[in-house]
Amino acid sequence: QVQLVESGGRLVQAGGSLRLSCAASGRTFSSYAMGWFRQAPGKDREFVAAISWKVGITLYADSVKGRFTVSRNNAKNTVYLQMNSLKPEDTAVYYCAADTDLLVVPGTTPDSYDYWGQGTQVSVST
């Protein structure tokens, strides 16, 4: 069983920055691919970014490429999402997710992931 707890979401002005954190339980965190997804009201959950469990492969949605950076600290069992140049359309609940399947390339769809956090709200004002 893996438990994920996100933090760092808040209200920020457009153009600002936030860093989200996701703390994971479990002794084998280093072997999990980790993903970030978001869901805005009335919309489906969408992929934001992911990082592999080895060799540091990172993937990004086109909408965030160049603005967001995903990273991980295996010693702290934590994955991060650094978000810069935030836009109002980035407003959503952000979720982290863990994939325990040991795939080399992390998935970009929700059904690729086995465990989810409760989400943290990010609101970007104009």
Side-chain angles (χ1 to χ4, degrees):
Q1 191 73 10
V2 178
Q3 291 185 323
L4 304 172
V5 179
E6 302 96 335
S7 61
R10 63 176 176 86
L11 175 64
V12 63
Q13 285 190 327
S17 298
L18 280 178
R19 188 176 81 158
L20 304 183
S21 300
C22 174
S25 65
R27 293 177 293 175
T28 55
F29 172 77
S30 60
S31 64
Y32 307 155
M34 299 298 296
W36 286 97
F37 290 78
R38 66 188 181 187
Q39 188 165 19
K43 295 188 176 181
D44 292 335
R45 190 168 298 190
E46 65 172 359
F47 170 74
V48 175
I51 186 165
S52 64
W53 68 280
K54 65 185 297 187
V55 303
I57 294 173
T58 56
L59 301 174
Y60 296 95
D62 288 343
S63 59
V64 307
K65 203 170 292 183
R67 300 188 297 124
F68 290 12
T69 302
V70 60
S71 62
R72 65 191 298 160
N73 184 328
N74 289 336
K76 294 185 177 182
N77 277 18
T78 301
V79 63
Y80 304 98
L81 185 67
Q82 177 66 44
M83 305 186 295
N84 298 328
S85 302
L86 283 161
K87 305 175 181 180
E89 51 264 42
D90 295 319
T91 295
V93 177
Y94 283 71
Y95 299 90
C96 72
D99 173 10
T100 61
D101 291 339
L102 299 179
L103 299 178
V104 174
V105 179
T108 60
T109 58
D111 58 7
S112 300
Y113 292 83
D114 308 303
Y115 299 96
W116 292 83
Q118 83 290 347
T120 186
Q121 176 71 47
V122 172
S123 299
V124 184
S125 64
T126 57

